Amino acid sequence: MKKEIKGFVLGLSCATLLTGGVAYATSNTVILEVSYGIKLIQNGIDKTPTGSAKPFIANGNTYVPLSVVGDLVGIQTTWDSNSRSVIIGEKGEGKSLGTPDFLDSHLSYSNKPSLSSNESMVINGKSYGSLGFKINSTYYYGRGIDYIKLNYALNNQYSELKLSVGIDDKDLSKSGLLRNISFKNENGEVLKQVSLGGGSVQENLTVNLTGVQKLVIEITGTGSGIVDFINPTIK
């Protein structure tokens, strides 16, 4: 059975102190007037928690500790203090791909691509967090083959890369926008290739890195836009 979490605004569960009807966040201070007395009913059975875990309503939203909802639907939740992240389900193995060792571009200096990391990524109105990096670039018709190449020295140490890629909503010019993203090895052999238009995303891609000494991510296309590389993880 597919497990879904719906109807909850989940927050203030990892670093919140509830006192006398007001919720105080311990960082980035938020003060909320809250209303208690909310019940959680699962398949006709009252599963309302007690104590500090009891749900409440604030500003028209229902707040429930994420761990409580996880228990109700059978999904493990854990807190990763190093990345300040709530892990829902299994924690992904591996480490972050990080930014490239070297960025090569055929684009002119005035249109030189920019790279930024750990910034908010939103695609077609959906938030994809901030783990990863983004490439902002402009391509034009009729100027030959423009490209950007991100180079990573892997030295045959990894077996796969997992990530999602998409076109960010920020500074988006959907007219004529196209991005072809090719993942290649040191010999130029294509390991994986995807094409993206404005507002599109390819989730949960897996690239086989077995035997790869150098990974090259090549980006070509037309128009102006930002490519989001979402949570790229190698293992």
Side-chain angles (χ1 to χ4, degrees):
M1 178 179 69
K2 182 178 180 180
K3 298 183 177 70
E4 297 180 331
I5 301 176
K6 295 183 177 180
F8 294 101
V9 176
L10 306 172
L12 307 180
S13 58
C14 294
T16 302
L17 176 64
L18 303 181
T19 306
V22 182
Y24 296 91
T26 58
S27 62
N28 298 323
T29 301
V30 176
I31 301 176
L32 296 175
E33 294 293 333
V34 306
S35 174
Y36 291 104
I38 310 303
K39 292 185 177 182
L40 297 183
I41 308 298
Q42 182 184 38
N43 299 325
I45 302 174
D46 190 340
K47 296 291 186 70
T48 307
T50 59
S52 63
K54 58 187 178 182
F56 61 86
I57 292 178
N59 296 332
N61 296 318
T62 302
Y63 288 80
V64 183
L66 188 58
S67 59
V68 172
V69 179
D71 290 342
L72 290 176
V73 298
I75 299 177
Q76 180 183 3
T77 61
T78 55
W79 170 248
D80 186 338
S81 60
N82 292 327
S83 63
R84 297 191 57 79
S85 303
V86 177
I87 309 300
I88 302 174
E90 297 296 327
K91 183 176 181 180
E93 298 179 356
K95 69 174 187 177
S96 173
L97 178 65
T99 54
D101 302 313
F102 176 70
L103 188 153
D104 181 23
S105 174
H106 183 260
L107 299 175
S108 65
Y109 179 80
S110 60
N111 297 309
K112 193 174 181 63
S114 62
L115 183 150
S116 57
S117 60
N118 298 325
E119 294 184 355
S120 175
M121 292 177 277
V122 179
I123 302 171
N124 205 22
K126 178 181 177 181
S127 174
Y128 284 86
S130 60
L131 295 178
F133 60 91
K134 53 179 62 180
I135 297 288
N136 190 354
S137 60
T138 300
Y139 296 85
Y140 296 99
Y141 291 102
R143 299 197 318 177
I145 300 175
D146 287 338
Y147 63 81
I148 300 170
K149 293 182 180 179
L150 313 179
N151 297 268
Y152 294 87
L154 301 184
N155 302 317
N156 193 19
Q157 295 180 357
Y158 303 96
S159 60
E160 67 179 21
L161 163 67
K162 289 188 174 182
L163 77 166
S164 298
V165 293
I167 303 297
D168 199 279
D169 288 354
K170 184 178 180 181
D171 300 329
L172 178 59
S173 175
K174 293 186 179 181
S175 178
L177 176 62
L178 173 68
R179 289 292 181 270
N180 298 309
I181 303 172
S182 301
F183 299 85
K184 302 181 178 181
N185 64 14
E186 64 276 6
N187 299 318
E189 298 172 338
V190 177
L191 308 173
K192 179 80 72 175
Q193 188 173 54
V194 297
S195 295
L196 303 169
S200 63
V201 61
Q202 292 281 338
E203 298 182 348
N204 302 318
L205 296 175
T206 299
V207 182
N208 186 352
L209 299 180
T210 303
V212 174
Q213 296 290 329
K214 182 175 76 170
L215 173 65
V216 179
I217 304 176
E218 183 177 271
I219 308 171
T220 61
T222 57
S224 300
I226 301 172
V227 180
D228 291 338
F229 290 82
I230 305 162
N231 195 22
T233 304
I234 51 177
K235 67 174 185 177

